[in-house]
Each structure stands twice: as C-alpha cells, then as structure tokens.
Amino acid sequence: MDLIGYIESKREEHLNELKELLRIPSVSTKSEHKPDIERAAQWIAEKLRAAGMDNVEIMPTKLHPLVYGESLQAPGKPTVLFYGHYDVQPAEPLDLWTSPAFEPTVRDGNLYARGTADDKGQVHIHIKALAALRKTAGKLPINVKVMIEGEEEVGSVNLWEFVKANRERLKADALIVSDTAMLTKGVPSITYGLRGLNYYQIELTGPAQDLHSGVFGGAVPNPITILAEMIAKLHDRNFRIAVPGFYDDVATVSRQELKALNSLPWKEKEFRRTVGAPALNGEKGFTIREQLWVRPTLELNGIWGGYLGEGAKTVIASKVHAKISTRLVPNQEPAKIARQVERQIRKLLPKSVHCKFEVLSMGKPWVAPYTHPIFQKAIHSLETGFGKRAVFIREGGSIPFVTQMHDTFKVPCVLLGFGLPDENAHAPDEHLALENYFGGIKAIALFYEQLATL
Ligand code: BES
Ligand code: MN
Ligand code: MN
C-alpha cells in the first residue's frame, strides 16, 4: 500500500494509541507523578521499538529519564535527530476542565487532554510517521535518531549533561522538532526563532515574624506593599522594561524581516478573542507580532504572601514572594540580564526589608536562517500533507534544547509545529485539532521520505 493510503487507513488506530499515552499523567514538576513519568517513558520506548527503531534505551538522568532510539540502516543517506518531550505541565486548576485532563475526549474535531498539543500529540505524530514509512517501504529511507525527554517542562535541567556526554551518538545533519504551534488554523508553519527564558524568584522579609496589623500597622514595613511598589516600577508608562541596560544588546531586526513577519496571514481580532482581556497593553511602538516575537519581556508569573484564606485576618506578613521571568531575544546574554534584573530590584528596595534573589533557570534565545535546502523539503511536505502553503514564523516560547543543539552542532533546526495558539497549552482544556494531528502524520512521513534525496 502507498504511504498516504496506509496512514489514512490507520486513523482510528493512531488516535486510540495516542489516547493511551495521554492517560498517563506524566507531570514532571511533581514528585508524586514519578511512577507515571516512568510509565510514560516505558510506553514511548515500546512504541519506538514497534516502529522499528533499534537500540531503544531508557536513559536515566538525575531527575527524569529520556528515551533514545535509532535506525541507522541507510548508509550514505542523511541522519536526522528528532527531539520531543513526553512530560507535561500540571493539570490544575482541575475544576476548569470540561472533561478530565487525563481522560482524552474528542469534541468538535478536537482531542482534549493535558499534553495533546504540548507535546505528546506532536511526538506521536513522528512515531507513527516513522512506523508508517517502515511498514510501507520495508525500511527507513534515511537514518533517524530519536530522543524524547521527560524534563522539558521543568527547564531541561539535566539534558545538557546528557548531550555533552553523548555528543557522538547525537550527531546528525539536522534537528527536527515538533513542539510549537502553527500561525493560525490552516496555515502550516515553520518556526525559525524562539525567545530565551530566564526565571527568577524573590523573597522579601520585613518583620522577623507576622505581626498584628492593628498593634503594629503604621510604624512597621509591610513587605507586600513594598513588593507591589517595586514591581510597579519595573515597567514604564509605555510598557518598556525599566531595568538599566536591559535593551542594550537587543539586535535590530532587518526591515525586510519585519515586513515578512508583519505581513503574515493572521487576524488580530482572533488574537484578541483568544486573549479575552478587555484591551491589550504591549510595548508602545511595536506591532503585536513584534511584541510577541522580536521584543524581550519581563513578566510576573506568581506573587504570594500574607493571608489568603477565607474571611479577614488582620496581619502584616513577615515575608512575600514573587516569581518573575524575562523572555530574551538576540543578542541578549542570559547571565548579563540576570545581573541587571537583580541589581535593579536591589536598587528599588528600601532599607526596611531583606531580599533573597534566586535565578531558577537561564536560557538563550535562538534565531537561525532558513536557507538550508532541508527547509524546501519541509515546505513541500507540509504543502502536500495539508494542501496549504507553509509560512516561516518566530515564536515567543522557549525550548532550551533547540538553542543548546544549535550552538553545539551548528546544524539546521527544523521546527514543524502542529499545535494552534488557542489550544490552551499549559492551561485547562488543552486540545489538539484532529485535522492537524492526522495531517501532521502525513506531512512528517513525507518529510522523512524526502530527506533521502537531500
Ligand atoms: N512547547 C513549549 C514551547 C513553545 C510553545 C514554543 C509554543 C513555541 C510556541 C514548551 O513545552 C514550553 O512550554 N517551554 C517553556 C520553557 C521551559 C523552560 C519550561 C516556556 O516557553 O515557557
Ligand atoms: Mn513543549
Ligand atoms: Mn510546555
């Protein structure tokens, strides 16, 4: 049977198999899910073997194992490395899910469950594409190495060590990743840029212990008030980041590139609907595409302290905490940015509180040209699989491994995303459009097939 006919005939089977993986709550942040992480790794390994991969191994790291497999049966042909992750974000708040997060459910042409779009559904696209190629052609037309990790959602903390220790094994002519989104429905997209991510946590301590706010209030520092004032000063009126030096190394983007990004086919109205806020407030002087893709940001991701229970409690908290992140663009240097952010936060602090400043993780941005012939193959396969012309986009999100691989091996990285911006990755009711899941398997199978003549 021909490749596409075979894939078409397996729709039900593919979907049911993906549902099995989605039922495993492989949440990487929570230690209670360690057994589920192990189970998901086993599941991936088994499916890689079934797809005909050799030397499939579950490799332990300091935290969660990664799954590796390879098929090197095409001497003289190109070798690609496919990367993805089987871990997922926590499903909370659970009560906001229409159907339970780990009970995959199809509604209106979408498959709902944690990990459908990010990234189990996209990983499964590749496993099934490889299996289909092998089934219909007898063997793979190219050499493929597959690495599926279990710590992406916690910053790929131990991955780098693994890469350094396995440089030879991971060597490839290109890196292939499906962990991003399409620009909008019906527009297959290739991502050539990601922002970098630095994550910080701060703790302010005022009084040595919690105090009665009537007895002490008025004379003593309140860390929550102080944090709020300080945070308010991290942006100016135009929503520019008020950290000295923060923009110094931001590369200018060519007019030609800006023009290309700003003329991509998407609807601002749809974007506003997805956001659902009464109004937007991005950095003044930049288009939405620029704000999301070529400008750096500073975001508050969490803030807690004081009394959060039911009713009233008159208290001045001793401590307050905040989680802050910065998204970085070329040529910002993560370590330099972290120093600048810490310096500014310390500068804004009054003498009445102590501040503990921690850098939880750092990651560089990635932007690369798409001139290598492999991108033509990618465009062509997406066009055949989806019946639509593909576009080149940048993304605001971060995938630490892509930057690391690009820096280490200097190979082209081809990011073919099958999610959509409104599919609620990291949020309740995460889903994946079935047309993109099924279309993805076809496009990826064609892509691997075409790489034989790269
Ligand atoms: N798949 C996402 C990254 C992503 C999403 C890129 C959408 C482009 C478009 C990935 O799983 C993710 O969530 N990354 C984190 C960073 C990580 C270090 C926790 C992110 O971007 O916040
Ligand atoms: Mn992801
Ligand atoms: Mn994610």
Side-chain angles (χ1 to χ4, degrees):
M1 202 192 273
D2 79 307
L3 182 60
I4 297 301
Y6 178 84
I7 292 171
E8 288 283 359
S9 75
K10 293 281 175 183
R11 278 169 75 107
E12 261 331 274
E13 201 176 301
H14 288 165
L15 183 59
N16 285 330
E17 190 180 289
L18 171 57
K19 286 180 180 174
E20 283 175 31
L21 176 59
L22 294 167
R23 285 192 193 100
I24 308 173
S26 46
V27 178
S28 48
T29 29
K30 296 192 179 171
S31 47
E32 71 206 67
H33 285 295
K34 187 73 188 165
D36 301 314
I37 285 277
E38 303 288 343
R39 221 154 33 97
Q42 293 285 355
W43 192 96
I44 297 277
E46 186 190 306
K47 299 307 171 204
L48 287 178
R49 284 190 195 105
M53 293 278 130
D54 304 314
N55 305 322
V56 174
E57 260 184 80
I58 296 180
M59 307 191 149
T61 72
K62 265 189 237 140
L63 187 60
H64 302 318
L66 59 89
V67 188
Y68 178 83
E70 59 192 19
S71 172
L72 307 176
Q73 314 272 6
K77 296 292 181 183
T79 302
V80 297
L81 173 64
F82 168 66
Y83 161 85
H85 62 95
Y86 67 81
D87 65 322
V88 296
Q89 289 274 328
E92 284 82 3
L94 299 179
D95 54 316
L96 295 185
W97 285 79
T98 308
S99 51
F102 297 105
E103 287 174 26
T105 309
V106 173
R107 281 195 303 277
D108 306 329
N110 294 311
L111 178 61
Y112 285 81
R114 170 58 84 235
T116 42
D118 187 11
D119 179 34
K120 288 171 170 175
Q122 302 206 56
V123 164
H124 198 243
I125 284 174
H126 284 257
I127 297 178
K128 290 298 109 178
L130 290 169
L133 265 172
R134 208 185 107 107
K135 255 289 177 338
T136 52
K139 70 191 228 12
L140 293 183
I142 53 163
N143 302 298
V144 179
K145 300 173 174 183
V146 175
M147 192 180 104
I148 319 285
E149 71 151 319
E151 313 188 321
E152 198 277 342
E153 298 293 7
V154 287
S156 300
V157 265
N158 299 298
L159 191 61
W160 191 225
E161 220 166 273
F162 177 85
V163 173
K164 277 194 295 190
N166 291 276
R167 275 183 81 114
E168 275 315 301
R169 194 194 296 215
L170 295 178
K171 229 182 194 160
D173 301 305
L175 174 69
I176 316 287
V177 179
S178 288
D179 191 21
T180 48
M182 310 203 296
L183 177 69
T184 183
K185 200 159 198 157
V187 183
S189 309
I190 302 169
T191 297
Y192 69 92
L194 296 165
R195 290 192 289 194
L197 175 70
N198 275 8
Y199 210 103
Y200 323 97
Q201 182 163 323
I202 59 180
E203 178 189 271
L204 301 190
T205 310
Q209 68 285 308
D210 287 6
L211 298 172
H212 189 295
S213 67
V215 177
F216 291 92
V220 304
N222 185 323
I224 300 180
T225 312
I226 289 164
L227 178 72
E229 278 179 355
M230 187 192 84
I231 283 170
K233 288 179 187 147
L234 291 176
H235 287 95
D236 71 11
R237 272 202 317 274
N238 294 325
F239 218 65
R240 271 178 78 84
I241 297 154
V243 171
F246 189 84
Y247 292 100
D248 284 1
D249 300 329
V250 171
T252 37
V253 181
S254 75
R255 282 174 59 176
Q256 188 193 346
E257 183 178 358
L258 286 181
K259 198 174 151 211
L261 294 178
N262 283 320
S263 49
L264 285 166
W266 67 290
K267 292 199 182 71
E268 181 170 334
K269 223 173 104 186
E270 238 168 70
F271 177 79
R272 286 175 183 272
R273 183 163 2 106
T274 303
V275 174
L280 301 178
N281 77 327
E283 183 185 359
K284 209 171 159 187
F286 295 89
T287 66
I288 292 176
R289 281 299 134 202
E290 291 163 6
Q291 290 164 352
L292 295 174
W293 293 349
V294 310
R295 297 297 292 168
T297 63
L298 182 150
E299 298 284 356
L300 262 288
N301 296 108
I303 177 164
W304 71 103
Y307 180 65
L308 301 170
E310 204 179 331
K313 182 187 181 197
T314 48
V315 68
I316 294 171
S318 163
K319 288 183 194 299
V320 61
H321 296 86
K323 288 186 190 280
I324 303 178
S325 60
T326 48
R327 295 278 169 179
L328 309 179
V329 299
N331 298 312
Q332 288 177 301
E333 238 284 28
K336 184 172 170 189
I337 295 291
R339 283 196 299 275
Q340 291 171 342
V341 170
E342 175 168 11
R343 193 179 309 137
Q344 182 63 5
I345 282 175
R346 293 205 179 280
K347 206 176 130 197
L348 292 171
L349 283 179
K351 284 203 183 66
S352 52
V353 291
H354 290 296
C355 174
K356 186 164 126 196
F357 182 95
E358 278 175 283
V359 179
L360 300 188
S361 67
M362 292 195 279
K364 280 171 41 170
W366 166 76
V367 178
Y370 43 89
T371 45
H372 191 280
I374 194 169
F375 291 98
Q376 286 315 311
K377 302 276 186 196
I379 295 239
H380 186 249
S381 326
L382 287 170
E383 198 161 342
T384 317
F386 284 84
K388 301 259 171 58
R389 183 83 190 157
V391 295
F392 284 94
I393 63 171
R394 284 167 69 159
E395 281 275 20
S398 313
I399 309 172
F401 182 68
V402 172
T403 318
Q404 293 171 350
M405 280 300 291
H406 194 246
D407 284 359
T408 312
F409 296 100
K410 314 265 182 283
V411 291
C413 302
V414 189
L415 275 60
L416 305 158
F418 300 106
L420 287 172
D422 63 355
E423 286 182 334
N424 295 352
H426 295 200
D429 279 351
E430 177 179 352
H431 57 281
L432 177 65
L434 288 176
E435 71 177 69
N436 293 338
Y437 170 65
F438 293 125
I441 300 177
K442 283 186 224 167
I444 292 297
L446 291 167
F447 183 46
Y448 285 132
E449 182 175 63
Q450 291 203 355
L451 292 182
T453 55
L454 187 66

